[in-house]
């Protein structure tokens, strides 16, 4: 993504930066009333939702319009976002249009030509500013349901071209969207700080309902968080909350404003949130600019008087609709057990940390942790295992940057070390690959969270399943479903009658790989042989050969 932003900015016109952005207006992307299925900054796994999801009436093929005068700056086909079109506008902003169904001519022909030349479904083109100019309101593509998409829609990202930062597009379309509904809270959580605070007699997080009437007893240093969603007129969807303000005894202590973020800040969502709860305090290693604490203690509250503390949450959306939730924390002096830990299992957020154990080494660089971590380290042995299972922490701790993990092998049943991989083990015992390479008796890889890991073997090739083979000719489409229980599909390639065939994965939610039968590449009127080869991430390969008449 960082490399893309650099290329993206390089491609954009310098004269666009000089114009006054405060006067910017955008033409709507569609010529019908705008409704949303997702808004900017919604909580997603390891990232913020970077734009707006516009509904398209449950169908594909709606014309997508340019928002202003500019030019098409990037063209892509990807598994994750499907057909993608980037536009650089002369007003200082740029957009990414994702999940499209079709590119317009001549872009469509250029993309197809490159796919066949590269023998790859996924391609990228970065044209010059003069190649594909656009005017405000001009159709630039057709909406779709490609990539990681659960239904037809347009995902629109808006960037500030000069900085490359994601910004909330909603203010550009406020007059085109109706919203009189305020955000609504579903729950509030209190976080006693380890070794420093207690809530309801325990040093455990406590959840209460919004507008909880009975005071909650606490002592020491605590934080709070809120689970809340926004809503809009005429639709049943829920959205992320634009603004959250926490006040205690009439004084603001914390504010979040979800209006912009950089790519480097994206994973910091893991520090700000706890599940679906938005924390109203800031971890010491979290530099997310949309969070502001004004009480000198990162938004944490010190309960050190035996009295009632009045807490107030104010939630707002971009349209100014607001809701308020009150609750009381009653200070009651009580003992707080100090935090107990072993030095080697205590990782400080502001330094590089190492863990060396028999059969394991871990290096967590400075800047990877958002807060101090007291590891609940355990080793689990299985007589039949090729490696021990290492629990780095009992609660998975996300990292801002990857760190190197090395796990030693207890035995080596296979000589072919490409079949080994490091597996992350979920609390339910499910394993999934995090990759890895063999080196001097160890498997090593980079991990993104402190969880539970072991080493496993994958010798089972992927499974190739033809879908409705008897309908291939009628539907003018060859369809396969692929399954791999180990490390997942790494690569695939198809041929028809010995010539390259363009297979792709238009919608990865459906897990189908498809090839459109096109008389430009396949001669009609006879029997054909399709060969499909699939390789997983441990090099296991399956080849399927099928015949069909078309």
């Amino acid at each position: 993504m960082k490399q893309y932003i650099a290329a993206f900015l390089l491609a954009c016109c310098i004269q666009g930066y000089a114009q006054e952005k405060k006067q910017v207006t955008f033409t709507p992307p569609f010529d019908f009333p705008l409704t949303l299925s997702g808004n900017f900054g919604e909580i997603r796994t390891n990232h913020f939702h970077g734009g707006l999801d516009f509904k398209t009436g449950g169908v594909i093929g709606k014309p997508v319009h340019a928002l202003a005068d500019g030019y098409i700056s990037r063209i892509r086909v990807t598994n994750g976002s499907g057909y993608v079109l980037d536009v650089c506008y002369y007003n200082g902003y740029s957009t990414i249009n994702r999940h499209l169904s079709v590119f317009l001519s001549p872009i469509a022909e250029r993309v197809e030509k490159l796919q066949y030349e590269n023998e790859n479904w996924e391609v990228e083109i970065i044209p010059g500013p003069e190649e594909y100019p656009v005017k405000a309101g001009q159709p630039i593509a057709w909406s779709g349901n490609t990539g990681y998409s659960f239904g037809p829609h347009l995902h629109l990202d808006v960037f500030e071209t000069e900085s490359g930062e994601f910004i909330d597009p909603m203010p550009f379309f406020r007059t085109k969207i109706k919203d009189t509904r305020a955000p609504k809270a579903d729950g509030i959580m209190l976080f006693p700080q380890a070794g420093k605070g207690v809530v309801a007699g325990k040093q455990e997080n406590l959840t209460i309902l919004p507008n909880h009437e009975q005071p909650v007893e606490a002592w020491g240093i605590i934080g709070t968080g809120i689970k809340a969603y926004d809503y809009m007129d005429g639709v049943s969807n829920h959205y992320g909350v634009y603004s959250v303000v926490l006040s205690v005894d009439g004084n603001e202590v914390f504010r979040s404003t979800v209006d912009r973020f950089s790519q480097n800040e994206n994973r910091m969502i893991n520090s700000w949130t706890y599940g679906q709860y938005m924390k109203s305090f800031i971890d010491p290693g979290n530099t997310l600019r949309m969070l502001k604490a004004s009480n000198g203690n990162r938004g944490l509250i010190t309960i050190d008087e035996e009295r009632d503390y009045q807490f107030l949450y104010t939630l707002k959306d971009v349209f100014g609709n607001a809701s308020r939730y009150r609750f009381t924390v009653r200070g009651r002096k009580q003992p707080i057990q100090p935090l107990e830990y072993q030095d080697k299992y205590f990782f400080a957020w502001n330094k590089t940390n190492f863990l060396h154990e028999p059969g394991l080494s871990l290096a967590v660089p400075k800047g990877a942790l958002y807060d101090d971590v007291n590891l609940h380290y355990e080793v689990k042995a299985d007589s039949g295992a090729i490696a021990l299972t290492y629990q780095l922490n009992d609660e998975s701790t996300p990292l801002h940057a990857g760190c190197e993990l090395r796990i030693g092998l207890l035995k080596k049943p296979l000589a072919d070390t490409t079949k080994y991989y490091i597996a992350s083990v979920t609390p339910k015992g499910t394993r999934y690959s995090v990759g890895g390479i063999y080196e001097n008796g160890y498997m090593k890889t980079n991990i993104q969270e402190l969880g539970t890991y072991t080493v496993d073997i994958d010798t089972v090739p992927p499974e190739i399943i033809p879908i409705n083979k008897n309908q291939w000719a009628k539907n003018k489409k060859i369809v396969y479903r692929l399954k791999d229980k180990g490390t997942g599909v790494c690569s695939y390639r198809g041929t028809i009658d010995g010539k390259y065939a363009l297979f792709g994965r238009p919608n990865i939610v459906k897990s189908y790989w498809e090839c459109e039968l096109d008389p430009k590449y396949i001669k009609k009127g006879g029997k054909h042989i399709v060969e499909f080869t699939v390789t997983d991430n441990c090099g296991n390969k399956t080849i399927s050969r099928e015949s069909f008449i078309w």
Side-chain angles (χ1 to χ4, degrees):
M1 184 67 181
K2 291 180 180 179
Q3 293 177 342
Y4 156 59
I5 290 176
F8 185 81
L9 297 180
L10 185 63
C12 289
C13 292
I14 298 299
Q15 65 263 31
Y17 301 154
Q19 298 188 15
E20 287 291 332
K21 289 185 287 187
K22 61 184 178 181
Q23 301 295 330
V24 167
T25 59
F26 274 150
T27 298
F30 295 111
D31 57 7
F32 50 82
L34 302 181
T35 55
L36 303 179
S37 57
N39 73 336
F40 181 81
E42 287 180 351
I43 298 171
R44 302 290 172 89
T45 303
N46 295 319
H47 70 285
F48 294 97
H49 188 237
L52 299 180
D53 286 341
F54 290 94
K55 294 188 175 188
T56 58
V59 299
I60 66 172
K62 298 290 187 178
V64 178
H65 301 284
L67 307 185
D69 295 351
Y71 62 91
I72 293 171
S73 58
R74 194 184 188 201
I75 305 156
R76 286 175 290 162
V77 180
T78 74
N79 283 328
S81 294
Y83 286 81
V84 187
L85 208 60
D86 298 17
V87 184
C88 182
Y89 295 111
Y90 299 133
N91 58 20
Y93 292 97
S94 303
T95 64
I96 301 179
N97 302 268
R98 305 181 192 267
H99 311 300
L100 304 170
S101 62
V102 180
F103 295 128
L104 298 180
S105 183
I107 291 176
E109 292 80 6
R110 183 176 177 180
V111 167
E112 183 181 77
K113 182 174 182 291
L114 185 61
Q115 288 174 319
Y116 275 92
E117 288 176 352
N118 293 355
E119 296 192 355
N120 199 325
W121 168 259
E122 295 189 278
V123 293
E124 176 183 57
I125 300 169
I126 300 180
E130 73 288 347
E131 291 190 67
Y132 303 113
V134 299
K135 292 290 186 180
Q138 173 186 332
I140 55 174
W142 300 96
S143 68
N145 186 32
T146 58
Y148 190 69
S149 173
F150 289 90
H153 73 287
L154 169 70
H155 175 101
L156 179 72
D157 293 314
V158 175
F159 294 85
E160 186 179 64
T161 303
E162 188 171 14
S163 67
E165 294 184 351
F166 294 83
I167 66 164
D168 186 1
M170 189 78 84
F172 294 114
F173 306 111
R174 284 181 59 177
T175 61
K176 305 296 182 180
I177 298 173
K178 184 179 181 180
D179 182 9
T180 61
R181 301 177 66 185
K184 180 182 177 182
D186 288 348
I188 292 170
M189 185 174 288
L190 284 75
F191 299 80
Q193 298 301 287
K196 298 178 181 179
V198 60
V199 172
K202 298 180 180 179
Q203 291 182 287
E204 300 174 359
N205 297 344
L206 176 68
T207 302
I208 61 175
L209 294 174
N211 288 326
H212 186 76
E213 294 184 358
Q214 297 298 318
V216 178
E217 292 186 346
W219 195 252
I221 301 176
I222 68 170
T224 65
I226 190 165
K227 180 180 180 182
Y229 302 100
D230 192 19
Y231 299 87
M232 292 185 179
D233 295 15
V235 293
S236 59
N237 304 80
H238 62 72
Y239 312 91
V241 178
Y242 173 73
S243 171
V244 175
V245 177
L246 173 66
S247 298
V248 179
D249 294 336
N251 298 311
E252 180 179 317
V253 298
F254 174 88
R255 176 186 295 263
S256 63
T257 306
V258 185
D259 57 355
R260 67 188 297 150
F261 63 89
S262 68
Q263 182 62 30
N264 182 60
E265 293 174 303
N266 223 343
R267 280 187 64 85
M268 292 180 187
I269 193 171
N270 293 316
S271 173
W272 178 39
T273 59
Y274 185 86
Q276 291 294 306
Y277 283 82
M278 298 171 284
K279 296 191 299 189
S280 301
F281 58 96
I282 306 172
D283 293 336
N286 184 355
T287 58
L288 188 60
R289 290 167 298 163
M290 62 176 67
L291 310 181
K292 303 292 182 185
S294 52
N295 68 343
N297 194 26
R298 298 186 284 109
L300 294 169
I301 311 301
T302 300
I303 308 297
D304 58 359
E305 299 178 15
E306 293 193 304
R307 64 175 179 85
D308 286 353
Y309 293 74
Q310 304 299 330
F311 284 64
L312 169 65
Y313 269 114
T314 302
L315 313 179
K316 290 185 180 180
D317 62 21
V318 172
F319 297 84
N321 302 304
S323 58
R324 293 170 179 80
Y325 297 90
R326 304 175 188 274
F327 63 98
T328 301
V329 173
R330 177 165 294 168
R332 187 177 71 81
K333 192 171 185 179
Q334 52 195 295
I336 300 172
Q337 295 297 321
L339 181 64
E340 296 181 358
Y341 60 89
Q342 298 182 47
D343 286 343
K344 70 174 181 177
Y345 297 136
F346 183 83
F347 281 11
W349 70 272
N350 58 351
K351 72 174 188 178
T352 298
N353 299 274
F354 299 96
L355 179 63
H356 297 288
E357 294 285 329
L360 176 136
S361 68
L362 174 70
V364 180
K366 182 179 179 180
L369 291 172
Y370 301 112
D371 202 352
D372 297 338
V373 179
N374 182 26
L375 298 178
H376 292 264
Y377 176 82
E378 288 186 9
V379 179
K380 302 171 185 178
D382 184 333
S383 59
I386 60 175
L388 298 174
T389 297
Y390 296 91
Q391 175 187 285
L392 303 177
N393 202 20
D394 58 343
E395 186 173 287
S396 181
T397 304
L399 303 169
H400 189 64
C403 64
E404 184 177 278
L405 172 69
R406 293 166 56 92
I407 297 179
L409 302 182
L410 296 175
K411 52 188 177 182
K412 194 176 172 186
L414 291 180
D416 185 358
T417 58
T418 64
K419 305 303 181 187
Y420 295 84
Y421 67 94
I422 291 182
S424 176
V425 185
T426 70
K428 294 183 179 180
T430 304
R431 300 183 179 192
Y432 63 90
S433 172
V434 291
I437 60 173
Y438 178 82
E439 186 178 272
N440 300 323
Y442 282 77
M443 290 297 296
K444 71 174 185 178
T445 192
N446 278 340
I447 58 174
Q448 296 286 326
E449 57 186 24
L450 302 179
T452 300
Y453 298 92
T454 190
V455 176
D456 214 334
I457 294 176
D458 183 4
T459 59
V460 180
E463 184 179 359
I464 303 175
I465 306 166
I467 303 297
N468 295 328
K469 180 184 172 182
N470 60 346
Q471 298 295 313
W472 285 358
K474 179 181 178 181
N475 295 334
K476 300 180 182 179
K477 184 187 297 183
I478 298 171
V479 183
Y480 289 107
R481 185 179 180 191
L482 308 183
K483 291 183 179 180
D484 190 83
K485 296 181 179 179
T487 52
V489 172
C490 175
S491 63
Y492 60 90
R493 187 177 189 275
T495 62
I496 297 178
D497 303 331
K499 296 181 180 179
Y500 174 74
L502 180 60
F503 277 88
R505 195 178 178 187
N507 185 293
I508 66 174
V509 175
K510 298 178 181 178
S511 295
Y512 292 144
W513 280 254
E514 303 177 358
C515 175
E516 300 280 350
L517 297 178
D518 188 335
K520 287 189 299 183
Y521 305 103
I522 306 165
K523 186 177 180 180
K524 291 191 68 175
K527 182 179 180 180
H528 304 278
I529 303 296
V530 56
E531 182 174 290
F532 199 55
T533 303
V534 182
T535 306
D536 67 19
N537 283 286
C538 276
N540 303 300
K541 182 184 295 185
T542 300
I543 301 176
S544 171
R545 294 179 181 88
E546 303 282 348
S547 63
F548 66 99
I549 296 174
W550 182 62

